[in-house]
Amino acid sequence: FVRPGIFTRDSSFVASLAGDREVLDVYTRTGVSAAVGLKHLIREQLSGRIFLEASRAHFEDDAFGERDFTTLGLLGALTYDTRDNALDATEGLFLEGSAEPFQEFSYGNTAARLTAEGRTYAGFGEDDRVVLAGRLKLGSITGAPISELPPDDLFLAGGGGSVRGYGYRTIGVKQEGTTIGGRSLIEGSLELRLKATEKIGVVGFLDGANVGADPWPDFSEDLRFGAGAGIRYDTSVGPIRLDVALPLDKRPEDPQFAVYVGIGQAF
């Protein structure tokens, strides 16, 4: 539920209630979550949001078996966006930072989840026919061990919008041969976008990520890289995206290659 203009024309009241079942290679989640809060446009390129969030979920995974988690927390975030087009940017900057302190009642832990992401774009040539795009995301969770945190709050990487070439959310921390989520994240991408015709473009990309067991990123941990190429076809609602990627640090469980289809650029 969204009601715009709650205090001023630039403020919106938002409330949500969701029940879902999520089945991943790493865990299975069955739960319900609710949120209530405000979004506010501070100025043309700067916005913020603050939400009170609650969830109750049952998890099953190979590392820890079956567990239940109940959380109540506060999410605050700021977004600065100067991109000329959110779906197909050729110039500008996107910055977002969030902090989410929360209480977990099943184990009695107070924890905090922090993330920061930046994206930048530079166009070259006539009508910006060549675009260089980059993305970097950092994350940290403090206050509790991995075994006492909800798996969906832990960091995982892999898949479209993350590290292409790997399965969705399959890059994590290895524990006795099993992949689990971590408490720190380093994730980045580089893309070179070339416009071949008015409607068709080609892209080359390199993605990489590390998920660590400790709260602060450790660059000595294994980094996983994926690389590939793609085709873009411009439409009135944004470019249709087709990417093919290879895992450069392939593990036995990883695919030989992966294909991704979507609307809009990868970031």
Side-chain angles (χ1 to χ4, degrees):
F1 173 79
V2 179
R3 180 173 179 180
I6 187 66
F7 295 122
T8 71
R9 66 178 184 178
D10 296 323
S11 299
S12 298
F13 171 78
V14 181
S16 67
L17 178 66
D20 64 286
R21 180 173 173 84
E22 183 182 27
V23 180
L24 303 179
D25 292 341
V26 181
Y27 64 78
T28 296
R29 176 191 185 274
T30 306
V32 60
S33 59
V36 61
L38 297 172
K39 292 182 178 181
H40 181 66
L41 183 63
I42 301 169
R43 60 186 189 189
E44 183 179 357
Q45 298 168 336
L46 181 65
S47 62
R49 63 186 187 274
I50 186 166
F51 284 85
L52 180 67
E53 300 180 323
S55 70
R56 170 72 176 176
H58 177 77
F59 291 89
E60 303 170 36
D61 60 52
D62 293 336
F64 302 108
E66 297 190 24
R67 295 172 297 161
D68 294 309
F69 290 95
T70 302
T71 61
L72 178 66
L74 193 65
L75 170 66
L78 284 174
T79 303
Y80 177 72
D81 190 354
T82 65
R83 294 174 296 176
D84 56 345
N85 185 333
L87 290 177
D88 190 11
T90 60
E91 63 180 31
L93 187 66
F94 175 91
L95 298 172
E96 184 170 78
S98 69
E100 185 181 2
F102 64 91
Q103 179 69 34
E104 200 292 305
F105 295 96
S106 297
Y107 291 89
N109 291 314
T110 300
R113 190 179 196 270
L114 310 173
T115 62
E117 183 174 3
R119 307 175 190 175
T120 185
Y121 309 85
F124 303 93
E126 185 179 355
D127 298 325
D128 294 324
R129 299 187 74 87
V130 178
V131 176
L132 182 63
R135 177 182 72 92
L136 178 65
K137 183 176 182 180
L138 302 174
S140 174
I141 300 177
T142 62
I146 287 176
S147 60
E148 297 181 7
L149 286 167
D152 60 337
D153 279 332
L154 295 170
F155 294 108
L156 291 161
S162 179
V163 184
R164 287 161 284 188
Y166 297 84
Y168 177 63
R169 303 193 76 183
T170 59
I171 299 174
V173 175
K174 283 291 186 180
Q175 179 169 290
E176 298 180 356
T178 299
T179 299
I180 59 175
R183 293 191 295 168
S184 63
L185 172 72
I186 306 167
E187 186 179 88
S189 299
L190 284 173
E191 284 197 352
L192 181 62
R193 305 169 183 173
L194 308 174
K195 205 163 188 179
T197 70
E198 288 303 313
K199 289 289 186 180
I200 297 175
V202 293
V203 174
F205 57 83
L206 175 68
D207 302 330
N210 162 253
V211 176
D214 296 324
W216 305 110
D218 184 354
F219 288 92
S220 67
E221 298 275 354
D222 289 339
L223 284 163
R224 299 288 171 184
F225 289 98
I231 296 176
R232 306 290 185 264
Y233 181 79
D234 281 344
T235 71
S236 58
V237 295
I240 297 174
R241 180 176 77 253
L242 172 65
D243 288 334
V244 179
L246 305 174
L248 300 185
D249 304 282
K250 188 179 180 303
R251 304 162 297 182
E253 65 269 26
D254 293 324
Q256 296 292 333
F257 65 93
V259 179
Y260 304 91
V261 178
I263 295 178
Q265 298 287 357
F267 61 91

Coordinates of all heavy atoms in Angstrom, one line a residue, residues 184-242:
S184 N 30.2 -10.6 5.2 CA 30.8 -9.5 4.4 C 30.7 -9.8 2.9 O 30.6 -10.9 2.5 CB 32.2 -9.2 4.8 OG 33.0 -10.4 4.5
L185 N 30.6 -8.7 2.2 CA 30.5 -8.8 0.7 C 31.3 -7.7 0.0 O 31.3 -6.6 0.4 CB 29.0 -8.6 0.3 CG 28.7 -8.5 -1.2 CD1 28.9 -9.8 -1.8 CD2 27.3 -7.9 -1.4
I186 N 32.0 -8.2 -1.0 CA 32.6 -7.3 -2.0 C 32.1 -7.7 -3.4 O 32.3 -8.9 -3.7 CB 34.2 -7.4 -2.0 CG1 34.7 -7.1 -0.6 CG2 34.8 -6.4 -3.0 CD1 36.2 -7.5 -0.5
E187 N 31.6 -6.8 -4.1 CA 31.0 -7.2 -5.4 C 31.1 -6.1 -6.4 O 30.9 -4.9 -6.1 CB 29.5 -7.6 -5.2 CG 28.8 -8.1 -6.5 CD 27.3 -8.4 -6.1 OE1 26.5 -7.5 -6.3 OE2 27.1 -9.6 -5.7
G188 N 31.6 -6.4 -7.6 CA 31.7 -5.3 -8.6 C 31.6 -5.8 -10.0 O 31.6 -7.0 -10.3
S189 N 31.4 -4.9 -11.0 CA 31.2 -5.2 -12.4 C 31.8 -4.1 -13.2 O 31.8 -2.9 -12.8 CB 29.7 -5.4 -12.7 OG 29.1 -6.4 -12.0
L190 N 32.3 -4.5 -14.4 CA 32.7 -3.5 -15.4 C 32.1 -3.9 -16.7 O 32.1 -5.1 -17.1 CB 34.3 -3.5 -15.6 CG 35.1 -2.8 -14.5 CD1 36.6 -3.0 -14.8 CD2 34.8 -1.3 -14.5
E191 N 31.5 -2.9 -17.4 CA 30.9 -3.2 -18.7 C 31.4 -2.2 -19.8 O 31.5 -1.0 -19.5 CB 29.4 -3.2 -18.7 CG 28.8 -4.4 -18.0 CD 27.3 -4.5 -18.3 OE1 26.7 -3.5 -18.9 OE2 26.7 -5.5 -18.0
L192 N 31.6 -2.7 -21.0 CA 31.9 -1.9 -22.1 C 30.7 -2.1 -23.1 O 30.5 -3.2 -23.6 CB 33.2 -2.2 -22.8 CG 33.6 -1.4 -24.0 CD1 33.8 0.1 -23.6 CD2 34.8 -1.9 -24.7
R193 N 29.9 -1.0 -23.3 CA 28.7 -1.1 -24.1 C 28.9 -0.3 -25.4 O 29.3 0.9 -25.4 CB 27.5 -0.5 -23.4 CG 27.3 -1.1 -22.0 CD 26.3 -0.4 -21.2 NE 26.2 -1.0 -19.8 CZ 25.5 -0.4 -18.8 NH1 24.9 0.7 -19.0 NH2 25.4 -1.1 -17.7
L194 N 28.7 -1.0 -26.6 CA 28.9 -0.4 -27.9 C 27.6 -0.5 -28.6 O 27.0 -1.5 -28.7 CB 30.0 -1.2 -28.7 CG 31.3 -1.4 -28.0 CD1 32.2 -2.3 -28.8 CD2 32.0 -0.1 -27.7
K195 N 27.2 0.6 -29.2 CA 26.0 0.7 -30.0 C 26.3 0.4 -31.5 O 27.0 1.3 -32.2 CB 25.3 2.1 -29.9 CG 23.8 2.0 -30.1 CD 23.2 3.3 -29.5 CE 21.7 3.1 -29.6 NZ 21.0 4.3 -29.0
A196 N 25.9 -0.7 -32.0 CA 26.3 -1.1 -33.4 C 25.4 -0.4 -34.4 O 25.8 0.0 -35.4 CB 26.2 -2.6 -33.5
T197 N 24.1 -0.4 -34.1 CA 23.1 0.4 -34.9 C 22.2 1.2 -34.0 O 22.4 1.2 -32.8 CB 22.2 -0.6 -35.7 OG1 21.3 -1.3 -34.8 CG2 23.1 -1.6 -36.5
E198 N 21.2 1.8 -34.5 CA 20.3 2.6 -33.7 C 19.5 1.7 -32.7 O 19.1 2.1 -31.6 CB 19.3 3.4 -34.6 CG 19.9 4.5 -35.3 CD 20.6 5.5 -34.4 OE1 19.9 5.9 -33.4 OE2 21.7 5.9 -34.6
K199 N 19.3 0.4 -33.0 CA 18.5 -0.5 -32.2 C 19.3 -1.5 -31.5 O 18.9 -2.1 -30.5 CB 17.4 -1.1 -33.1 CG 16.3 -0.2 -33.5 CD 15.4 0.1 -32.3 CE 14.2 0.9 -32.8 NZ 13.3 1.3 -31.6
I200 N 20.5 -1.9 -32.0 CA 21.2 -3.0 -31.6 C 22.6 -2.6 -30.9 O 23.3 -1.8 -31.5 CB 21.5 -4.1 -32.7 CG1 20.2 -4.6 -33.2 CG2 22.4 -5.2 -32.2 CD1 20.3 -5.5 -34.4
G201 N 22.9 -3.1 -29.8 CA 24.1 -2.9 -29.1 C 24.8 -4.2 -28.7 O 24.1 -5.2 -28.5
V202 N 26.1 -4.1 -28.4 CA 26.8 -5.3 -27.9 C 27.6 -4.9 -26.6 O 27.9 -3.7 -26.5 CB 27.8 -5.8 -29.0 CG1 27.1 -6.4 -30.1 CG2 28.8 -4.8 -29.4
V203 N 27.7 -5.8 -25.8 CA 28.3 -5.5 -24.4 C 29.4 -6.6 -24.1 O 29.1 -7.8 -24.3 CB 27.2 -5.5 -23.4 CG1 27.8 -5.4 -22.0 CG2 26.3 -4.4 -23.6
G204 N 30.5 -6.2 -23.5 CA 31.4 -7.1 -22.9 C 31.5 -6.8 -21.4 O 31.5 -5.6 -21.1
F205 N 31.6 -7.8 -20.6 CA 31.6 -7.5 -19.2 C 32.5 -8.5 -18.4 O 32.8 -9.6 -18.8 CB 30.1 -7.6 -18.6 CG 29.5 -8.9 -18.9 CD1 29.6 -10.0 -18.0 CD2 28.6 -9.1 -20.0 CE1 29.0 -11.2 -18.2 CE2 28.0 -10.3 -20.2 CZ 28.2 -11.4 -19.3
L206 N 32.8 -8.0 -17.2 CA 33.6 -8.8 -16.2 C 33.0 -8.5 -14.8 O 32.8 -7.3 -14.4 CB 35.1 -8.4 -16.2 CG 35.9 -9.0 -15.1 CD1 36.1 -10.5 -15.3 CD2 37.3 -8.3 -15.0
D207 N 32.5 -9.5 -14.1 CA 31.9 -9.4 -12.8 C 32.8 -10.2 -11.8 O 33.5 -11.1 -12.1 CB 30.6 -10.1 -12.7 CG 29.6 -9.5 -13.7 OD1 29.7 -8.3 -14.0 OD2 28.7 -10.2 -14.2
G208 N 32.8 -9.7 -10.5 CA 33.5 -10.4 -9.5 C 32.9 -10.2 -8.1 O 32.3 -9.2 -7.9
A209 N 33.2 -11.2 -7.2 CA 32.6 -11.0 -5.9 C 33.4 -11.9 -4.9 O 34.0 -12.9 -5.3 CB 31.1 -11.4 -5.8
N210 N 33.4 -11.5 -3.6 CA 33.9 -12.3 -2.5 C 32.9 -12.2 -1.4 O 32.4 -11.1 -1.1 CB 35.2 -11.8 -2.1 CG 35.6 -12.3 -0.7 OD1 35.6 -11.5 0.3 ND2 35.9 -13.6 -0.6
V211 N 32.5 -13.3 -0.8 CA 31.7 -13.4 0.4 C 32.5 -13.9 1.5 O 33.1 -15.0 1.4 CB 30.4 -14.2 0.2 CG1 29.6 -14.3 1.4 CG2 29.6 -13.6 -1.0
G212 N 32.6 -13.2 2.6 CA 33.5 -13.6 3.7 C 32.7 -14.0 5.0 O 31.6 -13.5 5.2
A213 N 33.4 -14.8 5.8 CA 32.8 -15.2 7.1 C 32.8 -14.1 8.1 O 32.0 -14.1 9.1 CB 33.5 -16.5 7.6
D214 N 33.8 -13.2 8.1 CA 34.0 -12.2 9.1 C 33.2 -10.9 8.7 O 32.8 -10.8 7.5 CB 35.5 -11.8 9.2 CG 36.3 -13.0 9.7 OD1 35.8 -13.7 10.6 OD2 37.5 -13.1 9.3
P215 N 32.9 -10.1 9.7 CA 32.1 -8.9 9.4 C 32.7 -7.9 8.4 O 31.9 -7.2 7.7 CB 31.9 -8.2 10.7 CG 32.1 -9.3 11.7 CD 33.1 -10.2 11.1
W216 N 34.0 -7.9 8.3 CA 34.6 -6.9 7.4 C 35.3 -7.6 6.2 O 35.9 -8.6 6.4 CB 35.7 -6.0 8.2 CG 35.0 -5.4 9.4 CD1 35.3 -5.7 10.7 CD2 34.0 -4.4 9.4 NE1 34.5 -5.0 11.5 CE2 33.7 -4.1 10.7 CE3 33.4 -3.7 8.4 CZ2 32.8 -3.2 11.1 CZ3 32.4 -2.7 8.8 CH2 32.2 -2.5 10.1
P217 N 35.1 -7.0 5.0 CA 35.6 -7.7 3.8 C 37.1 -8.0 3.9 O 37.9 -7.2 4.4 CB 35.3 -6.7 2.7 CG 34.2 -5.9 3.2 CD 34.4 -5.8 4.7
D218 N 37.5 -9.2 3.4 CA 38.9 -9.6 3.5 C 39.3 -9.9 2.0 O 38.9 -10.9 1.4 CB 39.0 -10.9 4.4 CG 40.5 -11.3 4.5 OD1 41.4 -10.8 3.8 OD2 40.7 -12.2 5.3
F219 N 40.2 -9.1 1.5 CA 40.6 -9.3 0.1 C 41.5 -10.5 -0.1 O 41.8 -10.9 -1.3 CB 41.3 -8.0 -0.5 CG 40.3 -6.9 -0.6 CD1 40.1 -5.9 0.4 CD2 39.6 -6.7 -1.8 CE1 39.2 -4.9 0.2 CE2 38.7 -5.7 -2.0 CZ 38.5 -4.7 -1.0
S220 N 41.9 -11.1 1.0 CA 42.7 -12.3 0.8 C 41.9 -13.6 0.6 O 42.4 -14.6 0.3 CB 43.6 -12.5 2.1 OG 42.8 -12.8 3.2
E221 N 40.5 -13.4 0.8 CA 39.6 -14.5 0.6 C 39.5 -14.8 -0.9 O 39.9 -13.9 -1.8 CB 38.2 -14.2 1.1 CG 38.2 -14.0 2.6 CD 38.1 -15.3 3.4 OE1 37.9 -16.4 2.8 OE2 38.2 -15.3 4.6
D222 N 39.0 -15.9 -1.3 CA 38.8 -16.3 -2.8 C 37.9 -15.3 -3.4 O 36.8 -15.1 -2.9 CB 38.3 -17.7 -2.9 CG 39.4 -18.7 -2.6 OD1 40.6 -18.3 -2.6 OD2 39.1 -19.9 -2.2
L223 N 38.3 -14.8 -4.5 CA 37.4 -14.0 -5.4 C 36.9 -14.8 -6.5 O 37.7 -15.6 -7.1 CB 38.1 -12.7 -5.9 CG 38.4 -11.6 -4.9 CD1 39.4 -10.7 -5.5 CD2 37.1 -10.8 -4.7
R224 N 35.6 -14.7 -6.9 CA 35.0 -15.4 -8.0 C 34.7 -14.4 -9.1 O 34.1 -13.4 -8.9 CB 33.8 -16.1 -7.6 CG 33.9 -17.2 -6.5 CD 34.6 -18.4 -7.0 NE 35.0 -19.3 -5.9 CZ 35.7 -20.4 -6.0 NH1 36.1 -20.7 -7.2 NH2 36.0 -21.2 -5.0
F225 N 35.2 -14.7 -10.3 CA 35.0 -13.9 -11.4 C 34.2 -14.6 -12.5 O 34.4 -15.8 -12.7 CB 36.4 -13.4 -12.0 CG 37.2 -12.5 -11.2 CD1 38.2 -12.9 -10.3 CD2 36.8 -11.1 -11.2 CE1 38.9 -12.0 -9.5 CE2 37.5 -10.2 -10.4 CZ 38.5 -10.7 -9.5
G226 N 33.4 -13.8 -13.2 CA 32.7 -14.3 -14.4 C 32.8 -13.3 -15.5 O 32.9 -12.0 -15.2
A227 N 32.9 -13.7 -16.7 CA 33.1 -12.8 -17.9 C 32.2 -13.3 -19.0 O 31.8 -14.5 -19.1 CB 34.5 -12.8 -18.3
G228 N 31.8 -12.4 -19.9 CA 31.0 -12.8 -21.0 C 30.7 -11.6 -21.9 O 31.3 -10.5 -21.8
A229 N 29.7 -11.8 -22.8 CA 29.3 -10.8 -23.7 C 27.8 -10.9 -23.9 O 27.1 -11.9 -23.6 CB 30.0 -11.0 -25.1
G230 N 27.2 -9.8 -24.4 CA 25.7 -9.8 -24.6 C 25.3 -8.9 -25.7 O 26.1 -8.2 -26.3
I231 N 24.0 -9.0 -26.1 CA 23.4 -8.2 -27.1 C 22.3 -7.4 -26.5 O 21.6 -7.9 -25.6 CB 22.8 -9.1 -28.2 CG1 24.0 -9.8 -28.9 CG2 22.0 -8.3 -29.2 CD1 23.5 -10.8 -30.0
R232 N 22.1 -6.2 -26.9 CA 21.0 -5.3 -26.5 C 20.1 -4.9 -27.6 O 20.7 -4.6 -28.7 CB 21.5 -4.1 -25.7 CG 22.5 -4.4 -24.6 CD 21.8 -5.0 -23.4 NE 22.7 -5.1 -22.3 CZ 23.4 -6.3 -22.0 NH1 23.2 -7.3 -22.8 NH2 24.2 -6.3 -21.0
Y233 N 18.8 -4.9 -27.5 CA 17.9 -4.5 -28.5 C 17.0 -3.4 -27.9 O 16.2 -3.7 -27.0 CB 17.1 -5.6 -29.1 CG 16.1 -5.1 -30.2 CD1 16.6 -4.9 -31.5 CD2 14.8 -4.9 -29.9 CE1 15.8 -4.5 -32.5 CE2 13.9 -4.5 -30.9 CZ 14.4 -4.3 -32.2 OH 13.6 -3.8 -33.2
D234 N 17.1 -2.2 -28.4 CA 16.3 -1.1 -27.8 C 14.9 -1.1 -28.1 O 14.5 -1.4 -29.2 CB 16.9 0.3 -28.3 CG 18.2 0.7 -27.6 OD1 18.5 0.1 -26.6 OD2 18.9 1.6 -28.2
T235 N 14.0 -0.9 -27.1 CA 12.6 -0.8 -27.2 C 12.1 0.4 -26.5 O 12.9 1.1 -25.8 CB 11.9 -2.0 -26.6 OG1 12.0 -2.0 -25.2 CG2 12.5 -3.3 -27.2
S236 N 10.8 0.7 -26.6 CA 10.3 1.9 -25.9 C 10.3 1.8 -24.4 O 10.2 2.8 -23.7 CB 8.9 2.2 -26.4 OG 8.0 1.0 -26.2
V237 N 10.4 0.6 -23.9 CA 10.4 0.4 -22.4 C 11.8 0.1 -21.9 O 12.0 -0.2 -20.7 CB 9.5 -0.7 -22.0 CG1 8.0 -0.3 -22.3 CG2 9.8 -2.0 -22.7
G238 N 12.8 0.2 -22.8 CA 14.2 -0.1 -22.4 C 14.8 -1.2 -23.2 O 14.1 -1.9 -23.9
P239 N 16.1 -1.4 -23.1 CA 16.7 -2.4 -23.9 C 16.4 -3.8 -23.4 O 16.4 -4.0 -22.2 CB 18.2 -2.1 -23.8 CG 18.4 -1.3 -22.5 CD 17.1 -0.6 -22.4
I240 N 16.2 -4.7 -24.4 CA 16.1 -6.1 -24.0 C 17.5 -6.7 -24.0 O 18.3 -6.5 -24.9 CB 15.2 -6.9 -25.1 CG1 13.8 -6.4 -25.1 CG2 15.2 -8.4 -24.8 CD1 12.9 -6.9 -26.1
R241 N 17.8 -7.4 -22.9 CA 19.1 -7.8 -22.6 C 19.3 -9.3 -22.7 O 18.5 -10.1 -22.2 CB 19.5 -7.4 -21.2 CG 20.9 -7.8 -20.7 CD 21.2 -7.3 -19.3 NE 20.6 -8.1 -18.3 CZ 19.6 -7.7 -17.5 NH1 19.0 -6.5 -17.7 NH2 19.0 -8.4 -16.6
L242 N 20.3 -9.8 -23.5 CA 20.7 -11.2 -23.6 C 22.2 -11.3 -23.3 O 23.0 -10.8 -24.1 CB 20.3 -11.7 -24.9 CG 20.8 -13.2 -25.2 CD1 20.1 -14.2 -24.3 CD2 20.5 -13.6 -26.7

